Each structure stands twice: as structure tokens, then as C-alpha cells.
């Protein structure tokens, strides 16, 4: 079982990944409230396929439409910064060759065979929906009732 502090650090790292990919931070790595809400809303509306595309594009640092097996492993390290048990279990069954590339469909197949690999990102979406979006909607309804 993951300690609460490790869980918080993991969620913080995943949220930074989301904010970075959705261009929510300015040049000084600061984020304005509106940009934070925009990034959260976009991520919360993603379906599973969009989350997989989001992760694939994030891993494709050269933006060539393919990722290397090394980039895939780096992505797993970003998604599983503390508890790497699930990632290690999947990697034991996969044949990862340094320098070999995979396309999105191979990436998607791997994620379908090993759903625990993308679980942190799906869990982050759940957390954002439950704790951020619902609170904001509730706050907005309160404002409307006051006016």
C-alpha cells in the first residue's frame, strides 16, 4: 500500500504532466486560475481513447508519430513515479528493444492488455472530476442563487 505522502507526490507529478502538456503554464512555470480550470476541464472530458492519445503525444518528444520503446519506458516512469510494481510486471511480459519504435495502435494494444499501466492517469481524471469540477460547479450554483 502506498503511503499518503507518496500518493500526494504521485498525484502532484501527474497533475504537472497534464498542465505541461495542455500548455497551462507560462514561461516562469506559473499557472493562472483560468488556465488551471481550462486544463482540468479539457482533461476531465477526455475519454479513454483521448487519454491514450494524450499520453502517446506526450511520449513522442520528436513529434514524428512514433515512439521508441525507451520513450515508452520513460512514460511509464512518469506515470508511476513511486510504485513501479504494475509497470515492472507488464514490462516482464513485453519485449522492449532499445531503439525499436511503436505506433499508436501498438501502444493502444499494450495498454488494453495491461490496463494497470494507464490507471494513474485514469485515476487522476476521476480525482479531478470528483474534487475540482464538482466543487467549481457547486460554487457556481451558490453564486447564481445569491444573485
Amino acid at each position: 500500500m502506498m503511503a499518503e505522502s507518496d500518493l500526494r507526490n504521485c498525484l502532484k507529478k501527474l497533475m504537472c504532466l497534464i498542465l505541461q502538456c495542455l500548455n497551462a503554464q507560462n514561461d516562469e512555470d506559473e499557472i493562472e486560475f483560468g488556465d488551471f480550470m481550462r486544463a482540468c476541464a479539457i482533461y476531465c472530458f477526455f475519454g479513454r481513447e483521448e487519454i491514450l492519445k494524450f499520453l502517446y503525444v506526450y511520449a513522442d518528444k520528436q513529434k514524428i508519430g512514433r515512439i521508441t520503446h525507451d520513450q515508452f519506458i520513460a512514460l511509464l516512469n512518469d506515470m508511476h513515479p513511486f510504485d513501479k510494481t504494475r509497470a515492472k510486471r507488464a514490462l516482464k511480459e513485453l519485449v522492449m528493444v532499445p531503439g525499436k519504435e511503436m505506433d499508436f495502435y501498438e501502444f493502444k494494444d499494450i495498454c488494453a492488455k495491461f490496463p494497470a499501466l494507464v490507471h494513474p492517469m485514469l485515476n487522476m481524471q476521476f480525482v479531478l472530476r470528483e474534487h475540482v469540477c464538482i466543487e467549481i460547479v457547486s460554487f457556481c450554483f451558490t453564486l447564481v442563487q445569491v444573485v
Side-chain angles (χ1 to χ4, degrees):
M1 189 75 175
M2 189 184 289
E4 185 176 339
S5 62
D6 287 342
L7 180 61
R8 287 184 190 278
N9 287 333
C10 182
L11 293 175
K12 181 179 177 182
K13 184 166 178 72
L14 293 175
M15 191 65 208
C16 288
L17 177 115
I18 292 167
L19 294 172
Q20 176 189 16
C21 289
L22 294 174
N23 296 322
Q25 297 166 313
N26 64 19
D27 293 337
E28 291 84 36
D29 286 335
E30 299 171 335
I31 183 168
E32 293 184 14
F33 180 73
D35 292 330
F36 172 77
M37 289 310 302
R38 178 185 54 81
C40 287
I42 290 170
Y43 192 74
C44 284
F45 281 113
F46 281 171
R48 182 178 176 84
E49 178 98 4
E50 287 86 7
I51 289 176
L52 292 178
K53 287 178 184 176
F54 173 85
L55 292 170
Y56 190 81
V57 168
Y58 169 76
D60 182 13
K61 303 295 186 198
Q62 288 82 28
K63 307 297 181 220
I64 58 173
R66 294 180 307 278
I67 63 172
T68 65
H69 288 191
D70 294 330
Q71 290 170 319
F72 176 73
I73 292 169
L75 174 64
L76 292 181
N77 284 324
D78 284 347
M79 288 191 298
H80 302 270
F82 298 101
D83 184 9
K84 299 185 185 307
T85 307
R86 293 175 180 168
K88 285 180 181 178
R89 190 174 309 141
L91 287 172
K92 282 182 184 177
E93 295 185 38
L94 295 170
V95 179
M96 293 283 119
V97 179
K100 186 174 180 192
E101 295 180 339
M102 70 173 75
D103 63 13
F104 174 72
Y105 298 104
E106 185 179 350
F107 173 78
K108 185 177 168 184
D109 287 344
I110 289 171
C111 293
K113 290 177 187 168
F114 302 97
L117 293 179
V118 294
H119 177 76
M121 299 308 287
L122 297 172
N123 189 49
M124 175 55 83
Q125 185 185 50
F126 175 77
V127 168
L128 288 173
R129 284 179 177 169
E130 290 293 309
H131 298 287
V132 176
C133 294
I134 289 177
E135 291 298 322
I136 296 299
V137 169
S138 175
F139 177 72
C140 290
F141 280 128
T142 304
L143 287 178
V144 170
Q145 291 175 354
V146 170
V147 177

